[in-house]
Amino acid sequence: MSLRTGELERYLEIARKIAIAAGTEVLKLFRSADLLIENKGTTNLDPVTFADRLAERFIIDEIQKYFPDDGITGEEYGKIEGSSLVHWVIDPIDGTRAFISGVPAWTILIAVNDGTRPVIGVIYQPFTEELFYGSRNYAFYELKGKRKRIHARKCEGLSSSIMFSTHPEIGNELEYNQFKEINNKVMLTRYGFDCYAHAMLAMGLIDVVMEAGLKSYDIQAPQALIVAAGGNVTSWTGADPQFGGTFLATGDENIHEEILSLLAGSRHM
């Protein structure tokens, strides 16, 4: 299914409005001293808060108000089947660890998938009021009602690039070793900014994001946004990453191909 231009614009505007409204609700609980934190993990910390569930429920209700036939997948409440081919993929608070630490590096993620791929991506940081959103070949940065076009940037080479990742100890043993190889070739690596890093790549401020062990709700909003900003998004094998797993995003196509070639070589060593 391919959404027509008018439909796409309507979906994008409503996704934008829902993200802003959800952010208003979440901010009431950000840096709250009595915020309850649960651990969904069995061996490692996988935190969830009342704010995560509140935000996802709010977003689901808003989507169903405007598009009752569409399906929805979220981190906290799973998959809701729809009768249309359009499917929303949401992460109410990407970066819960940052959220519970009082650091404004968490974001609200909303994607719209037309049945083949994510075609709309929204990343919103409510505390700073920074909104990143895009579809097809245009992406925007909006702050306090003022917006501008954003574009992923070109880069002279891997040795001149800035890379972000959530954790230094990334993925399984193979993925960790692959990441270290790329990490040794870039100019600078920073950690811990979750999906805010993807927004910075779409804005043309950094060059590479590498992640592993992601779910679809982590990937689809940044995937659509970065592509709309002229960037490149694949798995570490060059495949479509939308369903989860490894994630490689770059602003420069040549760097993307160089990293994929290095990753392919390291798998056969």
Side-chain angles (χ1 to χ4, degrees):
M1 176 183 178
S2 179
L3 293 170
R4 295 188 295 271
T5 300
E7 294 175 316
L8 204 60
E9 290 175 352
R10 179 169 179 256
Y11 268 95
L12 181 60
E13 180 57 21
I14 290 174
R16 172 188 166 277
K17 288 181 177 179
I18 291 174
I20 293 171
T24 300
E25 297 302 312
V26 173
L27 273 183
K28 297 173 184 177
L29 297 167
F30 183 50
R31 295 181 176 171
S32 171
D34 56 355
L35 181 66
L36 295 176
I37 303 166
E38 300 175 30
N39 184 14
K40 296 186 292 183
T42 54
T43 56
N44 298 316
L45 177 65
D46 185 9
V48 62
T49 71
F50 175 71
D52 294 85
R53 296 190 175 111
L54 172 72
E56 185 160 322
R57 187 71 261 169
F58 179 89
I59 294 169
I60 290 170
D61 290 345
E62 288 298 299
I63 293 170
Q64 292 180 327
K65 183 191 305 181
Y66 290 102
F67 302 102
D69 297 330
D70 292 354
I72 305 169
T73 294
E75 179 175 7
E76 307 306 331
Y77 293 107
K79 188 172 185 179
I80 300 171
E81 296 290 350
S83 57
S84 80
L85 292 178
V86 177
H87 203 89
W88 296 66
V89 183
I90 61 177
D91 191 343
I93 299 179
D94 181 85
T96 301
R97 291 174 178 82
F99 186 88
I100 64 178
S101 303
V103 180
W106 54 275
T107 54
I108 294 171
L109 305 183
I110 299 179
V112 178
N113 192 306
D114 69 358
T116 59
R117 68 191 189 284
V119 294
I120 288 171
V122 178
I123 299 178
Y124 182 47
Q125 210 310 303
F127 188 79
T128 61
E129 299 183 52
E130 292 180 289
L131 182 66
F132 307 82
Y133 56 101
S135 180
R136 288 186 177 160
N137 298 318
Y138 55 91
F140 296 97
Y141 170 68
E142 184 175 322
L143 179 64
K144 301 183 187 301
K146 296 182 179 180
R147 76 173 190 174
K148 66 177 182 179
R149 287 282 298 271
I150 56 174
H151 305 274
R153 72 183 183 186
K154 302 300 180 183
C155 186
E156 292 181 0
L158 198 54
S159 62
S160 302
S161 67
I162 299 173
M163 180 168 73
F164 272 56
S165 188
T166 301
H167 305 289
E169 302 82 14
I170 189 171
N172 58 34
E173 184 177 359
L174 171 61
E175 291 163 348
Y176 174 62
N177 289 327
Q178 289 179 304
F179 174 76
K180 284 198 299 183
E181 180 178 2
I182 307 304
N183 190 31
N184 288 335
K185 296 182 182 300
V186 302
M187 180 179 70
L188 171 67
T189 302
R190 300 292 291 168
Y191 300 101
F193 285 83
D194 297 291
C195 210
Y196 194 78
H198 299 107
M200 295 299 96
L201 191 145
M203 201 173 185
L205 297 174
I206 68 172
D207 305 291
V208 182
V209 177
M210 285 187 73
E211 302 283 7
L214 300 188
K215 305 295 185 183
S216 63
Y217 47 74
D218 299 310
I219 289 175
Q220 294 206 22
Q223 179 178 356
L225 174 68
I226 290 168
V227 170
N232 313 274
V233 176
T234 66
S235 72
W236 291 11
T237 62
D240 184 347
Q242 67 172 295
F243 299 111
T246 58
F247 185 86
L248 172 65
T250 64
D252 190 286
E253 185 176 3
N254 292 327
I255 286 179
H256 201 93
E257 292 303 319
E258 182 180 355
I259 293 173
L260 287 178
S261 178
L262 289 167
L263 293 172
S266 65
R267 283 193 295 273
H268 298 98
M269 291 179 63

